[in-house]
Amino acid sequence: MKKPAEMFDREYEWSALSRFIADPQPGATLGVVSGRRRQGKTFLLEAACRATGGFYFGATEAADAESLRRISTALTAHVRPASPFHFANWSEAVDELLALGSERPVPVVIDEFPYLAKGNPELPSIIQEALRPLRDQRTASRTRLLLCGSALSFMGRLLSGNAPLRGRAGLELIVRPLDHRLAAEFWGITDPHLAMKVNAIVGGTPAYRREFARGDSPEGPDDFDDWVIRTVLNPESPLFREARYLLAEEPDLRDTALYLSVLAAVADGNSTRGGMAGYLERKAVDLAHPINVLEDAGLLHRDADAFRENRPTYRIAEPLIAFHHAIMRPVWDQLERPGSAARVWQASRRRFVSNVLGPHFEQVCREWALHHADPELLGGLPARVGHGIVHDPKTRTSHEVDVAVIGIADGHSKPPLLAIGEAKWNDTMGIAHIDRLRHIRDLITQAGRYDTSDTRLICFSGADFNGKAHASSETNPDVRLIDLTALYSPTSHTP
C-alpha cells in the first residue's frame, strides 16, 4: 500500500494500517483508530481506502434512522447493486459491510463512530455479535472494519473493562500530534527559536497550518508577531475560535462554564487541585469530576510528582487551548473587534512568555529527554520523565525540578535517577544553575528514594550559556548543556 506523496510523515501510522489491512488471514477483523481532532485521521483513512478500493463512511450527528439511510445510500453508491440498499437496522448494515471482504482483504471505515453510537447505544453490541468467532458472516469475510473517532473519552471506553468490543480489536491506533521537531519541519521553519514559539501556540496539529492558516507560516523571526496577529488573533481566521470549538465538540462536557474555568485556572499557573479550587473559590472535592472529564477528553494531563507521592499537577494538553486561556479569553471582547489584535498582542507578549512559552519549553525538554535523547547522554534508557518538588528540611524551603529522568529499576534496587534538569527559556544559564542542581541532587540522595550515584545535571536554555557554564560542562562529565539546536537536531547525542 503506497503512501500518498502529499501525506507528511505518518510513517508509523501508515505502516500499521497497511499491515492490518493487508493481513491475509481469514475472518473479518476489527481495528480502532482514535486521536484528538485535526490530527489527520480522516485523511489517513480515506487515503487507505482509495489505495485499496475500500469503503469509507463519515458519520454525522443525526438520528439513528437518518444515519441508517445515509450509510444505505453510501454503500449503494460504492457497490452499485441491482437494487439500492435500504437497511432496516444496523445488523443488516454491518453484515453487508462484512460482505465487502468476501473475496479479498478490504478496509471498511466508519469515521466519527461516536456519533452513530450516540444515536444507537446498542451499536457496539451489534458489532460484537456480528464479529462472533464462529459466525458464518465473519469467517467468510476478510473485511478489515475500522472504527474511528475523535471523542477520546468515548473511544477510550470502547475497548476497556466490560465494554462489548473488549478483546475484539486487532488494531488500536492512536494518531498523535506531530512532535516539536516534525512540527517545525511541517511548518517549514528552520530557526529553532522561532519554531519553539510557534509550537507553543499551535502545537503539532497538522490542520492548523494547511486548512486553518491556509499555509501561512512565519517568514522568519521578525515575522512572528505579525503572524500571531494575522492568524491566531484575527477574528476572520478559523484559528481564532478553534480553542472554544474544541471544548464544545466533546460530547461528555455538559457544564462548559465550569470546564472553561478549570482550564483558565491551570493557564493562570494553578497546576494543583488545591490551586484550582482557590482560584475558583470552590472546594477541591467539587473539581474532581470536571478534572476527570477533561483528562478523559485529552484536554488536561495529569503529571505525577517525581519526588512526592499523591501530589499531582495538571497541565493543558493542547497548546492552542493554553494560549487561548492565557492570552485571548481574558480580553475576548476586545479581540472580537477587528483591528484590535496588534494592541492586545503588544500588551500580552510578556504574559505569553511566562504563562505559555516558558511552561511549553519545559514540557518539550521533558519529551525530548524521554523520546529523543541518546541514552548515553543520560546514562541509561529512561523509564519515565517527569518533574516535581524537592523539599529541603534544614532550610524549610522547596526546590522545583523541571526535568527528572528516572531509569529502570534493576530487581529490588532503588530506581536510578538518571538526570535532573532545569529549563529556562529567556535566561542565559551559568554556574549558579549548575550549583543549584548539584544541591538538589544532594537533597534527593538524602531522601533515599532514588539511586543518585550517577545522576547527570542538565541545563536546558532557550537563550544561551555563559563561559563558566561551558567550562563546567567541559570539566565535569556529569554536567550537560542542551540548547535549542540540540533539541531540534535529528541526532540526539550531545557531548
Side-chain angles (χ1 to χ4, degrees):
M1 198 166 79
K2 186 177 180 181
K3 193 185 83 166
E6 65 270 24
M7 183 179 293
F8 177 81
D9 192 63
R10 298 305 187 197
E11 300 289 348
Y12 172 82
E13 293 87 348
W14 187 259
S15 296
L17 273 178
S18 298
R19 290 192 301 270
F20 177 75
I21 292 170
D23 187 348
Q25 69 170 317
T29 53
L30 174 69
V32 173
V33 180
S34 62
R36 296 215 304 268
R37 297 186 184 278
R38 326 294 193 238
Q39 304 308 321
K41 300 185 299 299
T42 296
F43 180 49
L44 186 73
L45 294 170
E46 282 190 319
C49 288
R50 286 197 303 269
T52 57
F55 173 69
Y56 172 89
F57 175 72
T60 59
E61 270 195 291
D64 190 48
E66 183 185 355
S67 295
L68 270 173
R69 284 196 297 270
R70 288 190 67 245
I71 199 168
S72 299
T73 302
L75 198 55
T76 297
H78 180 77
V79 177
R80 299 187 181 278
S83 59
F85 294 117
H86 295 287
F87 300 127
N89 53 59
W90 281 104
S91 295
E92 290 183 8
V94 173
D95 279 348
E96 201 59 48
L97 295 177
L98 296 184
L100 294 176
S102 59
E103 297 180 0
R104 63 183 178 88
V106 61
V108 172
V109 174
I110 300 179
D111 201 357
E112 295 300 351
F113 180 71
Y115 287 147
L116 296 185
K118 183 179 180 181
N120 188 337
E122 296 179 1
L123 191 51
S125 296
I126 293 170
I127 295 174
Q128 176 199 33
E129 171 61 22
L131 295 176
R132 189 161 35 86
L134 298 180
R135 189 169 181 265
D136 290 343
Q137 289 87 340
R138 183 199 179 182
T139 57
S141 169
R142 283 185 287 174
T143 286
R144 306 307 178 217
L145 180 60
L146 290 154
L147 308 179
C148 179
S150 302
L152 296 188
S153 54
F154 176 89
M155 298 303 291
R157 295 192 298 266
L158 199 59
L159 302 175
S160 65
N162 296 320
L165 294 176
R166 176 170 171 78
R168 300 288 189 187
L171 174 72
E172 295 182 51
L173 180 64
I174 300 175
V175 181
R176 293 180 169 86
L178 303 173
D179 66 32
H180 68 285
R181 298 192 306 185
L182 284 172
E185 183 181 346
F186 181 74
W187 280 83
I189 301 174
T190 57
D191 180 273
H193 194 271
L194 174 61
M196 186 66 71
K197 292 200 291 184
V198 171
N199 192 249
I201 298 176
V202 293
T205 298
Y208 292 162
R209 185 190 183 194
R210 282 182 171 159
E211 288 86 6
F212 285 61
R214 301 189 301 278
D216 185 354
S217 182
E219 295 180 1
D222 294 338
D223 188 41
F224 174 72
D225 289 337
D226 287 341
W227 175 81
V228 173
I229 292 167
R230 68 178 181 260
T231 55
V232 191
L233 300 184
N234 179 5
E236 299 173 7
S237 168
L239 279 172
F240 182 75
R241 293 177 177 83
E242 170 65 2
R244 301 178 74 169
Y245 292 157
L246 284 174
L247 194 67
E249 288 171 348
E250 287 297 328
D252 288 345
L253 272 57
R254 299 286 185 263
D255 181 9
T256 55
L258 178 57
Y259 297 111
L260 285 168
S261 295
V262 170
L263 292 172
V266 177
D268 202 44
N270 302 283
S271 60
T272 65
R273 186 170 295 188
M276 292 181 231
Y279 181 90
L280 300 176
E281 298 182 0
R282 293 199 177 204
K283 295 179 180 179
V285 68
D286 295 338
L287 300 183
H289 178 69
I291 288 174
N292 290 338
V293 171
L294 287 168
E295 280 190 86
D296 290 342
L299 301 178
L300 202 62
H301 192 278
R302 179 183 185 273
D303 292 321
D305 191 304
F307 306 104
R308 301 183 300 176
E309 298 288 350
N310 301 319
R311 292 295 301 270
T313 57
Y314 296 86
R315 57 181 170 83
I316 299 174
E318 170 54 57
L320 189 61
I321 292 180
F323 181 84
H324 170 84
H325 282 277
I327 305 301
M328 300 174 68
R329 189 166 178 257
V331 290
W332 187 255
D333 290 344
Q334 294 187 52
L335 284 173
E336 282 193 305
R337 180 175 180 177
S340 300
R343 176 170 171 264
V344 168
W345 181 240
Q346 177 67 27
S348 304
R349 285 188 294 183
R350 182 176 297 180
R351 183 174 175 82
F352 168 68
V353 171
S354 61
N355 286 42
V356 179
L357 185 53
H360 183 78
F361 177 62
E362 293 175 10
Q363 181 58 28
V364 168
C365 292
R366 289 189 282 270
E367 292 174 358
W368 176 86
L370 182 62
H371 300 297
H372 302 293
D374 191 325
E376 291 184 11
L377 181 147
L378 301 173
L381 182 69
R384 59 189 177 95
V385 177
H387 59 98
I389 302 294
V390 175
H391 183 62
D392 186 343
K394 289 185 178 179
T395 61
R396 296 183 179 180
T397 57
S398 295
H399 302 276
E400 185 173 355
V401 176
D402 298 326
V403 181
V405 185
I406 296 106
I408 302 169
D410 184 13
H412 299 289
S413 63
K414 293 183 291 188
L417 183 64
L418 301 179
I420 56 172
E422 184 168 2
K424 296 294 183 184
W425 171 253
N426 256 349
D427 295 354
T428 297
M429 302 184 77
I431 195 67
H433 297 89
I434 298 171
D435 289 342
R436 176 179 177 273
L437 287 174
R438 191 170 282 117
H439 173 62
I440 292 173
R441 182 175 61 185
D442 292 340
L443 294 174
I444 298 170
T445 302
Q446 295 168 18
R449 180 174 179 177
Y450 295 110
D451 177 2
T452 60
S453 56
D454 294 310
T455 300
R456 311 284 172 88
L457 309 177
I458 306 181
C459 290
F460 299 88
S461 177
D464 203 353
F465 305 96
N466 65 23
K468 290 184 178 180
H470 282 292
S472 179
S473 70
E474 292 168 1
T475 57
N476 295 283
D478 63 339
V479 175
R480 297 288 187 273
L481 307 181
I482 306 297
D483 59 13
L484 285 170
T485 300
L487 288 176
Y488 278 92
S489 172
T491 55
S492 56
H493 179 70
T494 300

